[in-house]
C-alpha cells in the first residue's frame, strides 16, 4: 500500500532539498561562470516526486523517482562523429553511476553495429568500460582507430591490446 505524503510535508522536503542547491562548473568552459549549471540531485528529484504524488500526479512522480537513480548515458544517435555531442541518450536505470545498462554493455557492441574494442584494465578509468563511439571499418568489427590493437589473449587471460604488436607469437596467432 502506497501512502500519499501530505502536501505540507512534501513542500517542506522539497524546500529543504532546494536550499542545498549551488552552482557547479559545466563540463566545458567550467572556468566561465556563464557556463555553470545547477544540478538537480537525487534528493531534490525524490522530494519533487513526493510533491507530485501529494498533488495527485502518479505518472510525474514515477518519472522523477526514476530520474533520481543512476541512468545509462549511452549515446543513441545513428551516426556518432567523434567531435560532436550526441543528441539522443539512453535513460535505462543502472546499479552504478557511469556504467552502461545491459542493452549497451561492451559485450553487445557487435550487435549494435559499434566498434568492439573495450580497452585494457591498466588504463586510467574512473568509470566502467563503455562501447567505443566509432563505426567499424567495412569488413571489420573495430573502428579505424582500434584495428591496430592486438587481440591475442595472453597466458594471464588478459588481451594484449598493444598497438601494432610486434611479438612474434602474437603475430602468428593473429594471422
Amino acid at each position: 500500500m502506497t501512502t500519499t505524503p501530505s502536501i505540507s510535508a512534501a513542500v517542506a522536503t522539497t524546500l529543504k532539498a532546494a536550499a542545498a542547491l549551488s552552482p557547479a562548473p559545466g563540463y566545458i568552459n567550467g572556468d566561465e561562470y556563464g557556463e555553470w549549471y545547477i544540478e538537480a540531485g537525487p534528493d531534490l528529484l525524490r522530494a519533487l516526486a513526493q510533491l507530485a504524488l501529494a498533488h495527485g500526479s502518479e505518472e510525474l512522480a514515477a518519472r522523477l523517482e526514476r530520474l533520481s537513480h543512476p541512468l545509462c548515458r549511452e549515446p543513441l544517435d545513428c551516426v556518432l562523429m567523434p567531435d560532436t555531442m550526441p543528441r539522443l541518450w539512453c535513460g535505462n536505470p543502472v546499479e552504478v553511476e557511469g556504467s552502461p545498462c545491459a542493452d549497451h554493455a561492451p559485450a553487445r557492441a557487435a550487435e549494435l553495429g559499434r566498434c568492439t574494442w573495450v580497452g585494457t584494465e591498466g588504463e586510467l578509468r574512473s568509470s566502467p568500460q563503455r562501447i567505443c563511439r566509432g563505426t567499424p571499418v567495412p569488413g571489420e568489427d573495430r573502428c579505424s582507430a582500434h584495428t591496430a590493437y592486438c587481440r591475442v589473449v595472453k597466458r594471464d587471460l588478459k588481451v594484449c591490446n598493444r598497438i601494432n604488436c610486434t611479438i612474434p607469437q602474437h603475430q602468428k596467432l593473429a594471422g
Side-chain angles (χ1 to χ4, degrees):
M1 180 171 143
T2 305
T3 59
T4 305
S6 70
I7 291 180
S8 60
V11 168
T13 304
T14 304
L15 291 175
K16 182 180 177 185
L21 293 175
S22 64
Y27 180 70
I28 300 171
N29 297 330
D31 57 339
E32 185 178 318
Y33 188 74
E35 297 291 327
W36 285 32
Y37 67 99
I38 296 177
E39 181 179 329
D43 291 341
L44 179 59
L45 292 169
R46 282 191 283 275
L48 289 170
Q50 287 180 357
L51 189 59
L53 193 60
H55 191 262
S57 181
E58 286 95 19
E59 186 177 326
L60 177 58
R63 182 169 185 259
L64 290 166
E65 179 63 33
R66 186 178 67 80
L67 291 172
S68 73
H69 299 287
L71 303 173
C72 175
R73 302 306 303 159
E74 189 64 34
L76 298 177
D77 296 11
C78 293
V79 177
L80 297 170
M81 302 304 291
D83 296 333
T84 60
M85 181 63 88
R87 287 178 274 162
L88 300 171
W89 300 89
C90 176
N92 292 334
V94 294
E95 292 294 320
V96 178
E97 182 71 37
S99 65
C101 66
D103 293 343
H104 298 107
R108 295 205 55 226
E111 294 174 47
L112 299 169
R114 305 278 286 281
C115 174
T116 59
W117 182 81
V118 292
T120 63
E121 293 177 21
E123 290 183 312
L124 296 175
R125 290 181 181 246
S126 59
S127 62
Q129 291 185 338
R130 309 294 298 209
I131 296 175
C132 171
R133 290 178 57 187
T135 304
V137 172
E140 287 279 340
D141 64 342
R142 292 185 176 180
C143 67
S144 59
H146 294 122
T147 54
Y149 285 77
C150 182
R151 302 170 188 238
V152 173
V153 178
K154 300 182 293 183
R155 288 184 186 158
D156 62 0
L157 301 178
K158 293 181 181 176
V159 177
C160 173
N161 254 338
R162 288 184 181 166
I163 299 174
N164 298 318
C165 181
T166 58
I167 298 172
Q169 293 93 344
H170 291 193
Q171 289 177 339
K172 183 178 177 183
L173 290 170

